Amino acid sequence: MDTSTSSPINKEKIQSISKLFKVISDPTRLSILFLLQKKELSVGNIVLALDMEQSAISHQLKILKDSHLVKARREGKSMVYSLDDLHVFSILEQVLTHINELEQ
């Protein structure tokens, strides 16, 4: 095997990186992340902000939670969501910078 052309990152890490990009590539999930960047919100507040059905928002929140990007806590009868990992915004800021450069 030619080591000069092999990836410096193992296949499992490549798969993990790909999975993260798949999770954050969905417009609804991105919108939820940006909403939660400002403050924690209940499912109902996210539904109102995005004007979507609660079942659709809950489905997206489960994907974000399973990916350790958001966390939930119970407050009375409601679930309140907040960001679990701020590192994702470093990635998103770099993408925004790249997009802004392309638009100039």
Side-chain angles (χ1 to χ4, degrees):
M1 177 157 128
D2 181 5
T3 57
S4 65
T5 60
S6 64
S7 175
I9 302 173
N10 67 40
K11 288 182 182 182
E12 291 79 21
K13 293 287 184 193
I14 294 288
Q15 290 297 324
S16 295
I17 291 167
S18 177
K19 183 179 175 185
L20 175 64
F21 276 104
K22 285 179 186 176
V23 170
I24 63 174
S25 69
D26 179 83
T28 301
R29 291 192 288 265
L30 271 176
S31 297
I32 292 169
L33 290 172
F34 280 108
L35 284 172
L36 295 177
Q37 185 183 25
K38 296 178 183 177
K39 62 180 179 177
E40 65 180 16
L41 294 168
S42 68
V43 175
N45 288 333
I46 297 169
V47 166
L48 288 173
L50 298 181
D51 192 28
M52 294 179 67
E53 296 291 326
Q54 182 172 341
S55 60
I57 295 298
S58 294
H59 174 73
Q60 300 303 334
L61 285 166
K62 181 183 182 335
I63 293 169
L64 291 168
K65 189 176 176 196
D66 290 348
S67 299
H68 305 286
L69 295 174
V70 302
K71 58 187 174 184
R73 66 178 176 81
R74 184 162 296 283
E75 190 173 280
K77 292 182 180 181
S78 298
M79 293 300 289
V80 177
Y81 288 84
S82 60
L83 294 177
D84 193 21
D85 184 357
L86 297 176
H87 292 107
V88 72
F89 283 100
S90 298
I91 297 166
L92 296 176
E93 287 172 3
Q94 296 242 347
V95 171
L96 283 170
T97 299
H98 177 71
I99 289 169
N100 289 335
E101 288 173 356
L102 292 175
E103 293 175 349
Q104 292 178 0

